[in-house]
Amino acid sequence: MDSNSLTTLAAFPRPASTGDRLYLTAHTDDVGAPAFNEALAKRRAAAAVVELASYWAEEQLVIQTFGERTPVATNANDVGRQRNRRVSLDYYQEIPFLTLTGQALDRDGRGIANASIRVHARSFTDTLQADASGRYALQLPKDTILGIDVYAKGYFLETQMVKVQPQASESLTITLPKADVGAVADIANLYFVGDMAVLLPRSEPELPRVKRFMEVNPHLKVEIAGHVNYPNTPPVPQTSDEWDLSVRRARLVYDYLLSAGIPAAQLTYQGYGNHEMRFPRARSSEQQAANRRVEIRVVGELED
């Protein structure tokens, strides 16, 4: 083992905890018989372990040798063969997991049986089902920030963002509003480019959630309702640009759902201009955002 290799091993990170692991693999070029190269790879691994043993315990090391079987370059020239004569090190830090429990409830505090729970973070997505009382349990990496989407037949979807910590169970009880005929729910986190029917990139994940709501509730007929923020003015006429913008924003969601396979019999769309603003004299950005929205309105049920 040359001086550069020794320097590299000496500078390699120390384990942060007894649960950390080091995966070590040893390789050769294809010069010589395969059996010789297998033995050579084992000697290279052993030499590396001697240098690492002062701070990595034996039970923390996972060692594999591959001889000439896994080249990373050609063996037809010296440069390639040098690259193939190697020992690689992969350091895995232990991440503690926490078991968190939650419950899907209706507005009366009753558990929603068999609610569908979708958990999503940057590095993973998982789906599970609540039990007959709406309870569910999740084993998750500590300090992960994740979203929890809850769906159930006859209910609007709800989403929570949670940081996985011991006290996070308090955030995992999620109440779903009923999706009865006449009920209305905003499509959360739906943001458009100003004066355009174009979604901002951060809003694109919201449309698959609406699709899932429709899939879980195939018996519902809904209207996608668009509204614009145009405060401190009279209601705009249906021939106005503002009215047309509200229609086009509703149509964007409607078209997405059709293209995603939701039956046309379940869907209609309508724009309302500024006729139904929540804050007709909006001043704050929050009030203006509440005016500028797209809703799901339950308008009926499909006959069997």
Side-chain angles (χ1 to χ4, degrees), residues 15-22 55-57 59-61 91-94:
S17 73
T18 57
D20 290 354
R21 295 292 181 268
L22 183 62
Y55 46 94
W56 283 91
E59 62 270 16
Q60 293 178 289
L61 299 174
Y91 179 11
Y92 296 93
Q93 285 189 306
E94 182 180 56

Side-chain angles (χ1 to χ4, degrees), residues 85-154:
R85 297 191 291 268
R86 69 196 190 279
V87 171
S88 65
L89 302 172
D90 291 294
Y91 179 11
Y92 296 93
Q93 285 189 306
E94 182 180 56
I95 299 175
F97 275 65
L98 297 175
T99 298
L100 304 179
T101 59
Q103 189 174 20
L105 301 173
D106 64 19
R107 289 283 174 87
D108 295 322
R110 294 187 294 258
I112 300 174
N114 305 317
S116 178
I117 317 296
R118 178 177 176 269
V119 182
H120 49 96
R122 286 188 176 183
S123 58
F124 67 89
T125 300
D126 197 9
T127 302
L128 66 153
Q129 195 171 55
D131 66 14
S133 63
R135 297 186 182 279
Y136 59 95
L138 303 167
Q139 191 174 42
L140 300 165
K142 185 176 180 292
D143 293 328
T144 301
I145 296 175
L146 53 84
I148 300 176
D149 303 334
V150 183
Y151 304 87
K153 187 173 182 178

Side-chain angles (χ1 to χ4, degrees), residues 24-44:
L24 184 151
T25 64
H27 313 260
T28 71
D29 59 28
D30 69 351
V31 176
F36 173 83
N37 287 329
E38 291 293 333
L40 177 58
K42 286 182 169 56
R43 293 198 299 274
R44 286 179 174 162

Side-chain angles (χ1 to χ4, degrees), residues 82-261:
Q82 179 62 45
R83 289 185 61 196
N84 291 331
R85 297 191 291 268
R86 69 196 190 279
V87 171
S88 65
L89 302 172
D90 291 294
Y91 179 11
Y92 296 93
Q93 285 189 306
E94 182 180 56
I95 299 175
F97 275 65
L98 297 175
T99 298
L100 304 179
T101 59
Q103 189 174 20
L105 301 173
D106 64 19
R107 289 283 174 87
D108 295 322
R110 294 187 294 258
I112 300 174
N114 305 317
S116 178
I117 317 296
R118 178 177 176 269
V119 182
H120 49 96
R122 286 188 176 183
S123 58
F124 67 89
T125 300
D126 197 9
T127 302
L128 66 153
Q129 195 171 55
D131 66 14
S133 63
R135 297 186 182 279
Y136 59 95
L138 303 167
Q139 191 174 42
L140 300 165
K142 185 176 180 292
D143 293 328
T144 301
I145 296 175
L146 53 84
I148 300 176
D149 303 334
V150 183
Y151 304 87
K153 187 173 182 178
Y155 295 86
F156 287 114
L157 69 96
E158 284 291 314
T159 296
Q160 295 256 15
M161 297 300 296
V162 175
K163 185 172 183 180
V164 179
Q165 294 180 325
Q167 67 272 27
S169 288
E170 300 171 6
S171 303
L172 299 186
T173 297
I174 299 175
T175 302
L176 274 62
K178 287 282 286 182
D180 294 327
V181 175
V184 179
D186 290 357
I187 301 176
N189 304 313
L190 207 61
Y191 304 109
F192 292 89
V193 176
D195 296 323
M196 298 177 67
V198 177
L199 276 181
L200 292 171
R202 71 178 186 270
S203 294
E204 291 172 0
E206 299 304 322
L207 296 184
R209 293 189 177 109
V210 181
K211 169 180 175 281
R212 178 63 177 153
F213 162 75
M214 297 300 300
E215 291 171 338
V216 171
N217 291 281
H219 64 295
L220 294 182
K221 291 182 65 175
V222 308
E223 175 186 277
I224 306 300
H227 306 267
V228 295
N229 177 56
Y230 200 54
N232 304 303
T233 61
V236 298
Q238 294 188 20
T239 55
S240 67
D241 291 342
E242 291 79 14
W243 185 280
D244 180 62
L245 178 60
S246 71
V247 173
R248 288 187 288 115
R249 286 179 172 174
R251 178 66 186 263
L252 180 147
V253 177
Y254 170 86
D255 286 345
Y256 168 82
L257 293 172
L258 284 183
S259 68

